[in-house]
Amino acid sequence: TNWSNNGVPASGNDYYTSVYGMRTPADANNYTFGGHSLTLQTPASTTYSIIYKGTANNVYTINNLTNSGGLIRSGGGSGDTYTLAGNYMCVAAPSTLLADQSPFVINSPLIGSSILTNTTISPFYSITYNGTNSAFTGKLVVGVNGTLIFNNLRSTPGNPAVFTPDQINLGGSSTLRDNVGV
């Protein structure tokens, strides 16, 4: 179902973005997506599949999120941090997280085996992983100037079936910060 502005998502329905982008409300509230699942597809009519426009340290819960070529983008104030929570975020096709206006914290466990590009416009806007990501065997690419943080041992990716030397690929002057302590 392609979500319509004429109604709220229903709990039994699966939704997808198609070529359109979704925006969160520009307020200080936390939100839970009401549908059973949401699949982000490659945007064509916007520069994002979903953009976070909150005005505080918002938590957005999207249960059963599949990123199938989508772009998740921050779009609020630079002093705010946006947290993505939910059952999981499946990376089903090459997809992107873009922290261009504020940092991201990903509490949803990653699953899937495709490429997830993490891009920030400056070291101040990091992307932090807190979830249990052992079921994610894809590649994490960190774009130029990106800052990627693993906050615990469970937040690092799982082991792919075949050795992948560039499973975590740092580009340009990007940094990887490991808060795991190992």
Side-chain angles (χ1 to χ4, degrees), residues 16-20 39-44 48-49 66-71:
Y16 62 93
T17 59
S18 185
V19 299
Y20 303 102
T39 298
L40 304 178
Q41 297 170 314
T42 305
Y48 54 84
S49 301
T66 298
N67 201 340
S68 187
L71 169 64

Side-chain angles (χ1 to χ4, degrees), residues 89-152:
M89 179 169 67
C90 177
V91 183
S95 304
T96 302
L97 289 172
L98 174 58
D100 62 337
Q101 295 182 29
S102 55
F104 271 122
V105 174
I106 309 300
N107 285 342
S108 299
L110 290 179
I111 63 174
S113 59
S114 197
I115 298 168
L116 181 58
T117 300
N118 297 261
T119 303
T120 63
I121 61 162
S122 79
F124 303 110
Y125 303 141
S126 60
I127 298 173
T128 302
Y129 288 93
N130 285 332
T132 300
N133 297 326
S134 59
F136 178 70
T137 57
K139 292 183 180 185
L140 284 178
V141 175
V142 185
V144 175
N145 295 323
T147 301
L148 186 68
I149 300 169
F150 296 122
N151 246 359
N152 59 63

Side-chain angles (χ1 to χ4, degrees), residues 2 6 9 12 30-31 65 85-86 99 106 110 179:
N2 194 353
N6 295 330
N30 298 324
Y31 288 94
L65 174 63
I106 309 300
L110 290 179
N179 292 344

Side-chain angles (χ1 to χ4, degrees), residues 11 25 50 54 82 110 142 144 160 169 180:
S11 62
I50 189 167
Y82 300 109
L110 290 179
V142 185
V144 175
N169 186 332
V180 175

